[in-house]
């Protein structure tokens, strides 16, 4: 639990890079014992060839702006994600990001729990 | 933790009311032991006069679409929230919603933890 009275606030749409960067930017917006909320800004990054995310925690992810493609291991095709689309990826659900829109950047919200 | 392999997906921008409704709509998108993720659709609703939300859990809230005004107890003025704006409201931080855009509806994402 957060310190009582400590309201925090911000905008997911501010502080974006003016041009594509080599790496994604991750901002931690909230971090409690069981939950972490992050904004991730992608400017074309993908998961390196042959690699999969295999995470210890459940992840709920939302495309706030932009677009992306994501492959779940065992599925035949990429899933297309656009603004407003969310996915709940259980822990150890192996997946890779195969494309992200670079300009303007793709803004993700990730809740790990 | 969610059942392994049970990927869920959806869009925050679909399934919206065509016209303002009497009550807000709340969809639970994920519900684990320590975390609940909800979409809330407001079509002009506000917290009734003289009432405050006083919640047992921390709440991270995002305006996905639309606009709202929110008053924190003890603050002099409402906070204005527009698309992309988020707030982290600690448990027992008393607050009220004083205005929400009705048309098109205001879409909130709430993470309670």
């Amino acid at each position: 639990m957060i310190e009582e009275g400590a309201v925090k606030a911000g905008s997911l749409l501010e502080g974006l890079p003016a041009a594509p960067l080599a790496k994604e930017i991750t901002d931690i917006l909230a971090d409690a014992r069981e939950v972490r909320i992050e904004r991730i800004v992608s400017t074309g990054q993908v998961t390196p060839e042959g690699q999969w995310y295999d995470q210890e925690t459940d992840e709920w992810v939302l495309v706030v702006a932009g677009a992306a493609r994501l492959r779940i291991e065992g599925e035949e095709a990429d899933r297309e994600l656009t603004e407003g689309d969310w996915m709940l990826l259980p822990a150890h659900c192996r997946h890779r990001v195969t494309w992200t829109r670079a300009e303007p950047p793709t803004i993700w919200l990730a809740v790990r729990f």
Side-chain angles (χ1 to χ4, degrees), chain A:
Chain A
M1 198 173 293
I2 306 150
E3 185 192 354
E4 198 167 338
V7 176
K8 284 179 61 184
S11 171
L12 293 187
L13 307 182
E14 291 178 6
L16 299 175
L21 303 176
K23 288 196 163 188
E24 287 181 330
I25 305 166
T26 299
D27 297 312
I28 298 171
L29 308 178
D31 196 0
R33 192 167 38 87
E34 300 276 355
V35 184
R36 193 163 74 179
I37 301 176
E38 299 172 350
R39 180 182 75 168
I40 302 165
V41 178
S42 302
T43 50
Q45 290 84 6
V46 300
T47 312
E49 193 66 39
Q51 289 186 26
W52 297 87
Y53 287 113
D54 185 342
Q55 296 165 157
E56 297 297 317
T57 57
D58 297 330
E59 179 180 10
W60 187 91
V61 68
L62 166 70
V63 175
V64 174
R69 286 196 289 270
L70 191 141
R71 174 67 65 96
I72 308 287
E73 194 181 45
E75 292 190 351
E76 300 269 312
D78 290 357
R79 293 185 185 225
E80 308 268 348
L81 300 173
T82 185
E83 285 185 17
D85 287 340
W86 61 268
M87 293 187 72
L88 178 59
L89 298 162
H92 302 298
C93 170
R94 284 159 59 95
H95 61 281
R96 16 194 341 265
V97 176
T98 57
W99 177 77
T100 56
R101 195 186 70 188
E103 289 191 277
T106 297
I107 305 172
W108 307 81
L109 181 75
V111 183
R112 303 180 194 282
F113 56 98

